[in-house]
């Protein structure tokens, strides 16, 4: 349940940026008002103590932001590498299909071309279950058909060339499962919730520090909350492979499909 709610919130980067910016600004303003109310009663030691607390909270926030950013970038790089690996695997299977006897050669190459097109369409429609689920079923059917051809050819011609074709076909099927798993592998919702809580505390402590000294700070109440919102939005954008500014490049698959055209 929490995963679904967090996923819906993080889906639109511009909405996320607006919402997080507003929330951080509100936290900073609340902290300032609380600090200003305590300003006359705060001693120097109290100011030092609040500064120490602010440093601890901001240190924890920096640690969480760096940890979350590293998680998102690692997953992004893994997804990008899998796109290239899958394109190479399908391309190798396509080339090795030339060594198959007819009618397997023609049918296998036709299935691989359709399969590549479906994989590209599947990525574009992954956030639309009504379009994505039928595509997955078609992909599974093509897997079964390709494997049936591999079994038939292996029975007719049990040669090393046939074995190499079976190997690359098996790798292609495995890479499909790996890409599906990588697409679902996001920064955990618990990490996002903890990050939002600590970010709010950081913005609040920053505003409180300004109020404790009896004067507003442009950096503490506007720039710093905005920077937090931008970094969180960037992490979310990198973690989402299909939407946002940092999208996943499908060029290897698209170039492979073009090369398959007669």
């Amino acid at each position: 349940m929490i995963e679904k709610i967090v996923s819906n919130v993080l889906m639109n980067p511009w909405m996320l940026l607006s919402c997080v910016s507003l929330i951080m600004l509100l936290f900073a303003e609340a902290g300032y008002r609380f600090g200003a109310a305590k300003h006359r009663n705060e001693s120097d030691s109290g100011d030092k103590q609040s500064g120490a607390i602010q440093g601890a909270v901001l240190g924890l926030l920096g640690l969480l932001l760096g940890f979350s950013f590293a998680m998102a970038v690692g997953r992004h790089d893994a997804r990008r590498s899998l796109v290239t690996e899958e394109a190479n695997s399908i391309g190798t299977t396509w080339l090795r299909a030339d060594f198959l006897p007819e009618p397997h050669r023609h049918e296998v190459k036709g299935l691989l071309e359709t399969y590549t097109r479906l994989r590209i369409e599947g990525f574009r429609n992954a956030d639309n279950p009504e379009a994505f689920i039928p595509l997955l079923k078609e992909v599974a059917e093509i897997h079964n058909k390709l494997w049936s051809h591999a079994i038939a050819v292996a029975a007719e011609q049990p040669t090393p060339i046939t074995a190499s074709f079976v190997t690359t076909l098996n790798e292609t099927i495995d890479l499909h499962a790996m890409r599906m798993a990588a697409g679902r592998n996001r920064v955990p919702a618990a990490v996002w919730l903890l990050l939002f809580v600590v970010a709010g505390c950081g913005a609040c402590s920053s505003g409180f520090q300004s109020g404790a000294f009896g004067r507003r700070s442009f950096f503490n109440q506007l720039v710093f909350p905005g920077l937090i919102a931008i970094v969180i939005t960037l992490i979310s954008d990198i973690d989402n492979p299909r939407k946002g500014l940092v999208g996943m490049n499908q060029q290897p698959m698209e170039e492979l499909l073009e090369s398959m055209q007669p």
Side-chain angles (χ1 to χ4, degrees), residues 39-259:
H39 171 59
R40 293 183 180 181
N41 299 326
E42 285 288 340
S43 61
D44 293 338
S45 60
D47 292 339
K48 294 179 180 178
Q49 183 180 10
S50 64
I53 294 175
Q54 180 190 22
V57 173
L58 295 184
L60 178 59
L61 175 60
L63 180 64
L64 284 174
L65 287 174
F67 175 71
S68 303
F69 185 82
M71 290 180 65
V73 170
R75 285 159 169 75
H76 178 80
D77 290 341
R79 297 187 195 103
R80 185 173 56 185
S81 298
L82 285 173
V83 173
T84 304
E85 290 180 21
E86 185 178 28
N88 290 337
S89 180
I90 297 174
T92 302
T93 307
W94 164 272
L95 294 175
R96 291 182 180 179
D98 288 329
F99 297 101
L100 301 180
E102 291 291 358
H104 300 291
R105 179 193 310 162
H106 179 74
E107 293 181 8
V108 166
K109 299 194 92 173
L111 288 171
L112 287 173
E113 181 181 349
T114 303
Y115 178 74
T116 305
R117 184 177 292 106
L118 288 175
R119 294 296 292 125
I120 296 174
E121 293 179 3
F123 178 84
R124 295 170 179 170
N125 294 279
D127 294 324
N128 182 10
E130 295 181 358
F132 185 62
I133 293 177
L135 288 173
L136 280 183
K137 293 180 179 179
E138 291 186 52
V139 167
E141 292 176 359
I142 292 179
H143 284 167
N144 293 331
K145 292 178 181 179
L146 288 171
W147 196 250
S148 298
H149 282 288
I151 294 175
V153 173
E156 297 172 9
Q157 295 182 355
T159 63
I161 294 178
T162 302
S164 66
F165 169 78
V166 173
T167 300
T168 54
L169 176 59
N170 184 71
E171 182 183 356
T172 297
I173 296 174
D174 290 343
L175 282 169
H176 164 71
M178 293 173 64
R179 280 196 65 188
M180 291 293 296
R184 292 189 290 263
N185 188 16
R186 307 285 187 85
V187 175
V191 175
W192 282 114
L193 291 176
L194 180 60
L195 181 59
F196 289 145
V197 171
V198 176
C201 293
C204 184
S205 65
S206 180
F208 179 85
Q209 191 71 5
S210 298
F213 284 99
R215 60 179 182 273
R216 289 185 177 273
S217 171
F218 177 77
F219 179 84
N220 286 353
Q221 293 188 256
L222 291 177
V223 178
F224 181 70
L227 289 176
I228 295 177
I230 291 173
V231 174
I232 290 178
T233 304
L234 178 61
I235 295 173
S236 172
D237 193 66
I238 295 174
D239 194 47
N240 190 344
R242 287 173 289 272
K243 291 185 177 181
L245 300 176
V246 188
M248 185 63 60
N249 188 359
Q250 294 294 299
Q251 186 175 359
M253 296 290 288
E254 294 171 355
E255 291 177 350
L256 173 63
L257 182 61
E258 291 179 3
S259 69

